[in-house]
Amino acid sequence: MKIFRELRPWAYVAGLALIYRATVTMVWAFLPRYNPVTQWLLDTYAGSNSDLYYVLIHIHDSIVNVLLALPFAYLITRIRPDRRWLYAVAVVLAMFVWDYRVVLFERRNFFGFVFGSGRTLAGLVQYVLYLPVSVFCVSVFMSRKNRKLPTV
């Protein structure tokens, strides 16, 4: 049954997307409260209304999100290494459509989102790039090790 052999990796990717989304949601539900870096940034810069606070918080959040995505990027490269970018884009696209469904499918929210602040756009770009950056890091690491990755 060739069709099942072709659909099996997509089922793995769909499962990874669900687990990745749940993991990111759970981690970010607790991380700001218990992370000393976040507390330090809030205590030091939040009251000053400084742009440095926003720059530092974006850098911190980007590092945390790339680290969160690394295990999932590794699993994506293990499914089929030659299609890793297609699978990464599929996961990001599925998460984007799910998370921004209200904005995308309601016209009044869409125009406010598109013509909103630059911070919204910067956050969106970061959101879309976390998993592909992690896939790139895993790919570079695995190519340097010259390992042959078994396919699932």
Side-chain angles (χ1 to χ4, degrees), residues 45-115:
Y45 295 107
S48 66
N49 237 355
S50 171
D51 287 336
L52 181 61
Y53 168 74
Y54 294 109
V55 170
L56 291 175
I57 204 75
H58 274 294
I59 291 170
H60 171 265
D61 291 353
S62 297
I63 291 169
V64 168
N65 280 319
V66 168
L67 290 175
L68 280 173
L70 280 175
F72 297 98
Y74 176 73
L75 292 173
I76 284 174
T77 59
R78 293 286 305 258
I79 293 172
R80 281 209 183 143
D82 56 332
R83 291 188 178 178
R84 64 184 174 268
W85 295 110
L86 180 64
Y87 295 150
V89 168
V91 169
V92 169
L93 192 61
M95 286 179 50
F96 176 78
V97 168
W98 178 254
D99 289 343
Y100 290 94
R101 66 190 179 278
V102 173
V103 174
L104 293 173
F105 299 119
E106 289 188 19
R107 189 171 57 194
R108 61 189 158 108
N109 292 334
F110 180 74
F111 288 117
F113 177 73
V114 170
F115 300 111

Side-chain angles (χ1 to χ4, degrees), residues 13-27:
V13 169
L16 277 176
L18 292 172
I19 295 169
Y20 175 57
R21 183 69 198 127
T23 302
V24 169
T25 302
M26 292 301 292
V27 167

